Amino acid sequence: MKMPSMRETLLSIFAADEPDYDRAVALGTAALPTIAEMIDEEPHRAAAAVYVAGQIPAHESLEVIARAARREHPLVRANAAGALRDWATHPECADDLDAAFEIVAPLLDDADPSVRKFAHRALAVLPAHGSAVPDSRATIPRLRR
């Protein structure tokens, strides 16, 4: 019996009513090339793929998140910001936090309020840049743009 490909495995995980994201994350960095390809697919699949990338503490994950942050669909960009927040909390990722800031910075001024909201949350966990987050009185009007 033929083993399913990485793509088939990820598609079956993402297609479930309750996706088993832990199972997808357990595939580790070996899944990242396929996850990177999925970033350019339909928005819900891309959003699921970037979420998984954010759970894998590797530099390659950051590249996937950056790609998702540039997608046209706001769902994908918002999930990219959320994934960046998750990714940045892994101690293994500490050396790449400046690169993470470069990804999140443009999202702070995104046209979509949900993207801006998740970008501010991501910025808050970046130690060198967390103080750049405006206080809540200044943030609230900006989010309602």
Side-chain angles (χ1 to χ4, degrees):
M1 183 170 188
K2 179 184 160 204
M3 292 287 297
S5 69
M6 184 65 73
R7 179 172 180 76
E8 291 167 336
T9 300
L10 287 167
L11 286 174
S12 72
I13 291 169
F14 297 157
D17 288 339
E18 293 288 328
D20 184 355
Y21 290 113
D22 290 338
R23 183 172 156 227
V25 171
L27 296 170
T29 57
L32 288 172
T34 304
I35 288 171
E37 292 171 5
M38 291 179 161
I39 295 302
D40 295 324
E41 297 178 11
E42 69 88 19
H44 289 93
R45 181 176 301 146
V50 74
Y51 171 80
V52 171
Q55 305 304 310
I56 300 172
H59 179 78
E60 297 85 358
S61 294
L62 191 59
E63 295 168 6
V64 172
I65 295 167
R67 187 171 176 172
R70 294 187 301 268
R71 279 288 307 269
E72 182 178 342
H73 201 283
L75 172 67
V76 181
R77 292 193 313 277
N79 274 34
L84 186 65
R85 179 176 188 249
D86 294 339
W87 178 89
T89 63
H90 293 284
E92 304 93 315
C93 301
D95 291 342
D96 286 324
L97 294 181
D98 285 341
F101 176 76
E102 295 300 319
I103 294 167
V104 77
L107 300 178
L108 295 168
D109 292 320
D110 197 274
D112 188 274
S114 65
V115 175
R116 292 193 307 270
K117 176 178 79 174
F118 284 102
H120 277 274
R121 289 179 181 173
L123 185 63
V125 302
L126 297 175
H129 306 285
S131 62
V133 177
D135 71 31
S136 62
R137 293 180 305 267
T139 303
I140 292 171
R142 184 177 184 173
L143 293 177
R144 291 186 183 152
R145 194 188 312 178

